Amino acid sequence: MALAYQDYYTLEDYQHWVGNWELIEGMPYAMAPSPTVTHQTVAFNIARKIKEQFDSKEGTCDKCCVLMETDWQVSNDTVVRPDVMVIYQSIDERVTITPGVIIEVVSESSTKRDEVMKFDLYQREGVMYYILVYPEKNLVKVYFNMSVGFKKLADSCDGNAEFNIGTCSFLIDFSLIWR
């Protein structure tokens, strides 16, 4: 049964909401409950490994930035908050440019949103690499954005993957990210 009326929200509405929300194509999505300890540990481990590599490459990664739980303002009706993202351009206080890498740690409550809605959104917006991490299975899926959409590069629980975006390059050893 189709709804006769459906609310549509914008960035202006989103900025007044209390709590943790994402706004995808005008539809609000609550980010509740808060992430589990395992979820946060895995996301932190990934971000830390990337940041350590940026810090060790003086001069070559000046514009490279790794962020956790930060809003990406995609458009006037879409604001998402990836678990981890890598930006390879200078930014101010708000992320309004397309990240080069987005990593989502998938939980039971976020599976559909991460695997379908955000997959399509990130693909359409030109995110170069999209990484889905499943802590309960110790599984990682890595996608690379080709001119025709995402192509799966890896589907494993350990091993290394190298990422090159702009002047930023880093390696993630997936065997070292688990809780």
Side-chain angles (χ1 to χ4, degrees):
M1 181 171 105
L3 296 174
Y5 176 79
Q6 185 174 354
D7 287 330
Y8 175 85
Y9 297 93
T10 66
L11 176 61
E12 185 177 334
D13 300 315
Y14 173 85
Q15 292 171 334
H16 299 287
W17 295 344
V18 176
N20 293 309
W21 295 86
E22 287 184 310
L23 177 66
I24 301 175
E25 296 174 349
M27 295 297 301
Y29 295 91
M31 296 176 65
S34 66
T36 64
V37 171
T38 296
H39 180 115
Q40 289 297 78
T41 299
V42 169
F44 175 79
N45 288 343
I46 293 169
R48 182 174 47 92
K49 297 284 184 197
I50 297 169
K51 177 75 168 114
E52 286 171 354
Q53 291 173 67
F54 288 169
D55 290 347
S56 71
K57 298 176 183 177
E58 291 182 32
T60 60
C61 296
D62 291 342
K63 293 182 181 179
C64 305
C65 176
V66 60
L67 301 169
M68 292 185 67
E69 297 283 331
T70 303
D71 286 354
W72 170 27
Q73 296 176 8
V74 179
S75 66
N76 190 46
D77 69 353
T78 302
V79 181
V80 290
R81 190 177 301 163
D83 291 305
V84 179
M85 62 181 152
V86 178
I87 308 290
Y88 60 99
Q89 301 172 38
S90 295
I91 57 171
D92 290 320
E93 287 301 313
R94 298 202 191 300
V95 177
T96 57
I97 60 170
T98 301
V101 177
I102 290 184
I103 301 160
E104 294 286 6
V105 179
V106 181
S107 61
E108 188 176 316
S109 63
S110 72
T111 302
K112 182 179 178 184
R113 192 165 52 236
D114 293 336
E115 292 179 344
V116 179
M117 297 176 75
K118 288 184 175 183
F119 186 95
D120 291 341
L121 174 68
Y122 298 162
Q123 181 173 247
R124 188 174 61 242
E125 291 299 320
V127 172
M128 193 176 301
Y129 294 97
Y130 183 34
I131 304 167
L132 291 166
V133 180
Y134 300 83
E136 74 285 349
K137 300 175 187 175
N138 285 15
L139 176 67
V140 176
K141 296 181 181 183
V142 178
Y143 296 90
F144 177 70
N145 205 337
M146 311 285 283
S147 59
V148 293
F150 281 135
K151 176 186 176 190
K152 189 185 288 184
L153 295 181
D155 193 347
S156 66
C157 53
D158 57 15
N160 297 324
E162 186 171 350
F163 302 91
N164 295 295
I165 54 169
T167 60
C168 306
S169 64
F170 58 93
L171 180 81
I172 300 176
D173 181 345
F174 293 114
S175 68
L176 301 176
I177 65 169
W178 310 113
R179 180 174 181 208

